[in-house]
Amino acid sequence: MAEMILEVSHLTIGREGSTVVEDVSFILEAESDTALVGPNGAGKSTLVQAILGVLPRRAGQVRLLGHALGARGQLPAAVRDQVAYLPQSIALQGRFPLSVAEFVGLGWDRAGLALPWRGRRARGAAVTLALAKVGGEALAKRLVSDLSTGQLKRVLLAFCVVRPRRLLVLDEAQAGLDAQAAEQFHSLLFDLRRSEGWTILQVSHDLEMVRRTCSGVLCLNRSLRCSGTPDHALSPAQLERLYGRGWVAYHHHHPGASRS
Amino acid sequence: MLESGFDPAHLAQLLALPFMQRALLAGLLTGLLGGLLGSFAVLRQLSFFSDALGHSALLGISLGILLGLNPTLVLIPFAVLFALGVNHLAGRSQLPTDALLNIVYSSSLALAVLLLSRVRSYKGGIQQLLFGDILGVSWLDLGVILLLLLGAGGYLLLSRRSQILLTIDEPLAISRGVAAGWHRLMFIVVLAVVVAISIKAVGVLLISAFVVIPACASRLVSRGFSTYVLVAALLGAGCAVLGLLASGAFDLPSGPSVVVVQLLGFLLALLVAPHTRSARS
């Protein structure tokens, strides 16, 4: 049996009195690539943030790399180091005086208090290598706030790859990218997943991309509606159950999205 | 017309006076501290917080005068309570933080003026509270500022990574193991204490300039985070010393002189800063 990277059992999450995610259970095996799909407001971002301990949960258990997530989101630092999270977007207000190399270095540093110059040489080497892996060597000295959306996503991937990780959690990684840039981003992600041995959980709206690249799908609309391989979970009948009747009509008009 | 022109001999005489030396030292340390804390505060969008705290501090000072206590002793607990209170309100309330701060500081200011109007001996001294009295800084005050500089500097240095991540994106920071709630609270408490301690030298009206202007000037020209913090701190210290020297040489009020020098520094940074913003696609 493959190693379990993430085990979620009976997870329920509430926000301001109402239940947003209810009784969700699933597991991710090592080096699987799983998409979390569902309509807007289905609780996808809430679910991934609760798994990472960013949002509190009301009930249920989360185990990351075999370690239970504490009630207030605590995890041993050694486990945290192996889990990376890419938010939907990072909103920087105005000119932000942080260079790309400095930002990627933050992904290398461990949690807790430390003198900034500790491990300087090792950090520098790791940052250079990480930027090379995402094809962003030329960006090292640019300011994070000067990057285009596509460049920023690349740099965020460097932030993840700067240290060996086991699990990567992406919240709509393709948001804000045009079709070509999204394609480039996904092929880069695909290559890195292979070479780094990452397990991936990604929130996605792009069902076509999910069909082509993911090994598993979780369909969420407050609770888990279905799960399995893309062929099974994204069949027209399942999609109608998940998104409602109107969505299927739209789906048929989507260029390249039809499967016989 | 200015009452006295520039006279190098007069300035040399001034520099020999112990109170002027203390003032310069106080300016240097306060400027360093303001620039250092300000560089983080400005990125966290806390510049209005320091302004509101400065104004509210007048209530703390008035209470001190009324109770016959050393204002500095009253100001530190007052500032900490203010920071904790605002943090709690902002977390609980449905209202935006700037509106809350506005309510807290205008009501504190009103209460403070009412209190001061009952204290006869202070009716004439309000100007000192508003614009500071850097020439009246004692060795004890200097020691407190130095301790604070070491404490705040040490904290920011050790938690640098957490502070930057929190400024960029809170969920990202938490996912990297940053104790977000604790650091957020700790930072505004430190900022509050720094503002409170600097008030004696700078005054309640101009204190936020020490936090905001050097940091913003540095933000315009810096190409990396370490440079940004360093330039902000040095700019804060440099402007304070230059401003005090100018105020001594031309016999001008000290606090406003420093702020005008800071403004000149900021305008210079605007001129030097790269004008073309890179296109965001």
Side-chain angles (χ1 to χ4, degrees):
Chain A
M1 204 172 112
E3 185 196 355
M4 293 309 159
I5 297 294
L6 173 66
E7 296 158 82
V8 175
S9 49
H10 306 293
L11 184 61
T12 296
I13 310 153
R15 255 186 177 176
E16 283 151 21
S18 61
T19 304
V20 184
V21 172
E22 193 169 16
D23 196 28
V24 166
S25 301
F26 64 91
I27 52 173
L28 297 186
E29 291 182 356
E31 301 191 30
S32 59
D33 185 353
T34 307
L36 184 61
V37 304
N40 288 329
K44 302 182 296 290
S45 296
T46 306
L47 177 60
V48 297
Q49 292 202 353
I51 288 170
L52 295 162
V54 174
L55 290 176
R57 59 184 189 270
R58 215 174 257 172
Q61 291 291 320
V62 176
R63 293 180 75 81
L64 285 148
L65 308 174
H67 291 266
L69 182 74
R72 273 172 286 117
Q74 318 91 305
L75 268 182
V79 178
R80 278 272 176 228
D81 279 344
Q82 299 182 64
V83 178
Y85 166 62
L86 249 73
Q88 235 171 67
S89 63
I90 54 176
L92 299 173
Q93 306 273 336
R95 185 186 161 92
F96 199 97
L98 182 71
S99 75
V100 165
E102 284 173 317
F103 174 69
V104 174
L106 293 175
W108 185 87
D109 291 327
R110 296 210 140 99
L113 302 179
L115 289 170
W117 48 84
R118 215 189 63 189
R120 196 174 163 187
R121 191 165 295 181
R123 188 206 282 120
V127 168
T128 309
L129 184 64
L131 283 171
K133 280 180 183 171
V134 301
E137 299 97 324
L139 301 175
K141 290 193 170 157
R142 298 273 298 277
L143 288 189
V144 174
S145 55
D146 283 347
L147 300 178
S148 70
T149 312
Q151 289 167 332
L152 185 61
K153 302 272 175 183
R154 228 167 242 276
V155 167
L156 281 167
L157 271 184
F159 183 89
C160 296
V161 82
V162 71
R163 213 175 240 291
R165 320 266 191 207
R166 303 297 305 279
L167 175 65
L168 203 63
V169 179
L170 299 96
D171 194 349
E172 287 189 46
Q174 70 275 37
L177 294 175
D178 58 35
Q180 193 194 353
E183 187 66 44
Q184 281 176 356
F185 177 82
H186 268 270
S187 71
L188 178 61
L189 181 64
F190 191 76
D191 291 344
L192 285 173
R193 178 173 81 86
R194 288 242 169 129
S195 56
E196 301 285 320
W198 286 340
T199 304
I200 290 181
L201 175 63
Q202 51 177 322
V203 173
S204 184
H205 277 304
D206 188 342
L207 298 183
E208 181 51 28
M209 198 79 79
V210 170
R211 275 201 179 89
R212 275 192 287 127
T213 63
C214 292
S215 57
V217 177
L218 301 165
C219 303
L220 184 78
N221 196 353
R222 214 171 82 116
S223 58
L224 264 195
R225 296 306 169 95
C226 63
S227 59
T229 61
D231 281 336
H232 164 71
L234 299 181
S235 68
Q238 295 282 17
L239 285 175
E240 197 177 315
R241 275 180 50 200
L242 181 65
Y243 288 90
R245 217 165 252 284
W247 188 85
V248 176
Y250 159 76
H251 173 68
H252 283 302
H253 291 294
H254 195 272
S258 59
R259 278 173 75 95
S260 53
Chain B
M1 244 190 81
L2 295 174
E3 282 176 25
S4 57
F6 177 69
D7 176 6
H10 173 59
L11 189 62
Q13 272 174 3
L14 267 178
L15 286 178
L17 296 170
F19 74 82
M20 192 63 195
Q21 292 166 355
R22 283 198 300 270
L24 282 174
L25 211 52
L28 183 83
L29 294 178
T30 315
L32 268 177
L33 204 49
L36 182 68
L37 263 283
S39 55
F40 288 90
V42 160
L43 290 180
R44 293 256 186 100
Q45 301 175 356
L46 283 173
S47 29
F48 188 55
F49 174 85
S50 56
D51 196 29
L53 175 63
H55 288 62
S56 306
L58 199 59
L59 178 59
I61 299 174
S62 320
L63 284 173
I65 292 167
L66 208 65
L67 299 171
L69 294 169
N70 179 349
T72 312
L73 284 180
V74 187
L75 261 181
I76 297 178
F78 179 86
V80 171
L81 282 177
F82 178 91
L84 295 176
V86 167
N87 191 53
H88 181 77
L89 273 179
R92 278 285 178 96
S93 161
Q94 310 273 17
L95 292 170
T97 310
D98 63 335
L100 276 176
L101 282 171
N102 213 315
I103 293 170
V104 174
Y105 100 70
S106 41
S107 35
S108 312
L109 203 55
L111 284 172
V113 173
L114 286 181
L115 277 180
L116 283 179
S117 72
R118 309 303 299 167
V119 188
R120 246 162 231 282
S121 59
Y122 253 79
K123 270 186 181 158
I126 196 162
Q127 182 140 355
Q128 269 183 11
L129 297 178
L130 295 182
F131 298 109
D133 180 19
I134 202 159
L135 298 179
V137 167
S138 67
W139 285 113
L140 179 71
D141 294 329
L142 270 179
V144 173
I145 299 177
L146 185 64
L147 273 180
L148 199 59
L149 180 64
L150 293 176
Y155 168 66
L156 287 178
L157 199 64
L158 286 171
S159 65
R160 175 180 181 273
R161 164 185 181 272
S162 304
Q163 303 295 347
I164 304 175
L165 277 173
L166 272 177
T167 307
I168 297 172
D169 188 69
E170 192 164 310
L172 184 71
I174 299 174
S175 80
R176 295 261 39 83
V178 173
W182 194 83
H183 279 300
R184 199 176 338 107
L185 190 63
M186 187 71 188
F187 182 80
I188 66 167
V189 167
V190 171
L191 181 61
V193 173
V194 166
V195 168
I197 291 299
S198 314
I199 276 174
K200 177 153 192 198
V202 190
V204 297
L205 285 185
L206 295 176
I207 181 62
S208 66
F210 273 67
V211 174
V212 177
I213 301 181
C216 284
S218 171
R219 184 176 178 172
L220 286 174
V221 294
S222 301
R223 306 274 330 149
F225 204 84
S226 307
T227 352
Y228 164 61
V229 176
L230 202 68
V231 168
L234 292 179
L235 213 55
C239 290
V241 170
L242 273 181
L244 286 174
L245 288 176
S247 96
F250 299 108
D251 198 19
L252 294 166
S254 55
S257 306
V258 173
V259 175
V260 168
V261 174
Q262 287 175 341
L263 173 70
L264 293 177
F266 178 74
L267 293 176
L268 196 68
L270 264 183
L271 277 179
V272 179
H275 284 285
T276 45
R277 280 180 63 106
S278 315
R280 276 168 164 265
S281 64

